[in-house]
Amino acid sequence: KPEISLESRMELLDLRLKEVEDALEEGDQSVKLDPVTHQPIVRLTHEFLKRHLKSNPDAYVETEAFNRELKLNSIGFKRIENLRGFINLKFLRLDRNEIIRITGLDTMKQLVSLNLSVNLIRRIENLDGLPELASLNLSENLIEKIEGLEMNTKLEHLDLSMNQIGK
């Protein structure tokens, strides 16, 4: 499947930011702003995912369960959420976001490759429910200790470069 173009990702991000701006104008108190940058916090919502799948028909099908690969890199997500429907996913890219914790992957029993590089993750956790995981990229995070991988017996490739391990 082809790489999702930067233009497509930026278009989706622009749509999400427009929604947030409209909500703020209407006085919607559920919209959160980043306390440091004062920019809207981009969330991985069901609506965002629907638009993402629909706007990239060469790479995805609209039914979540039929997708084998999902690329959500460089968007600015802080949390992994609303991915429960992607039960047959084999490859997931969430690199270059602002993710703090590894969560929300428990329904992805077929996941073979996970890229969470260049995020803000401090701890390897919640991967024990991924029995097929063979490749894990956690490079350029804030991880201090190698742990939480005991159940990942099929893991062949692990990248923990440029972390805080041993410091």
Side-chain angles (χ1 to χ4, degrees):
K1 294 184 179 183
E3 175 80 21
I4 303 302
S5 70
L6 178 60
E7 292 80 23
S8 294
R9 286 195 304 263
M10 293 304 293
E11 185 176 310
L12 284 167
L13 183 56
D14 288 343
L15 284 171
R16 179 65 184 133
L17 290 173
K18 175 75 172 108
E19 286 177 3
V20 170
E21 288 170 3
D22 291 347
L24 285 170
E25 284 179 14
E26 294 171 12
D28 186 343
Q29 298 301 313
S30 68
V31 176
K32 305 281 189 233
L33 296 178
D34 185 285
V36 176
T37 65
H38 301 289
Q39 296 296 314
I41 295 173
V42 181
R43 291 199 51 210
L44 186 52
T45 63
H46 288 290
E47 293 76 23
F48 179 93
L49 286 165
K50 283 181 194 175
R51 281 195 314 273
H52 185 63
L53 298 177
K54 193 172 187 172
S55 68
N56 295 287
D58 293 338
Y60 305 119
V61 293
E62 288 185 51
T63 305
E64 293 174 354
F66 293 156
N67 289 287
R68 294 174 42 87
E69 183 175 354
L70 184 59
K71 296 177 183 175
L72 297 168
N73 49 316
S74 304
I75 298 175
F77 298 125
K78 295 187 183 307
R79 292 182 57 194
I80 303 170
E81 56 189 341
N82 297 313
L83 296 177
R84 291 198 172 280
F86 292 91
I87 57 173
N88 293 308
L89 216 56
K90 299 264 187 199
F91 307 95
L92 177 59
R93 284 190 60 186
L94 284 162
D95 52 303
R96 301 182 185 281
N97 281 289
E98 298 172 16
I99 296 167
I100 296 169
R101 291 192 66 215
I102 303 171
T103 59
L105 303 174
D106 51 325
T107 60
M108 298 181 189
K109 304 295 183 200
Q110 306 301 315
L111 198 64
V112 172
S113 177
L114 176 60
N115 187 339
L116 288 166
S117 63
V118 194
N119 275 289
L120 302 170
I121 298 167
R122 293 186 177 275
R123 185 170 181 221
I124 303 170
E125 60 186 337
N126 300 316
L127 298 175
D128 51 343
L130 305 176
E132 301 300 317
L133 192 64
S135 177
L136 176 61
N137 187 342
L138 288 167
S139 64
E140 298 186 56
N141 275 284
L142 305 170
I143 297 167
E144 297 177 355
K145 182 178 173 185
I146 300 172
E147 62 185 344
L149 297 171
E150 299 80 14
M151 302 302 291
N152 302 102
T153 57
K154 293 189 177 180
L155 195 59
E156 296 175 2
H157 175 79
L158 175 62
D159 188 346
L160 290 169
S161 61
M162 299 177 68
N163 271 285
Q164 303 297 313
I165 298 168
K167 292 186 179 183

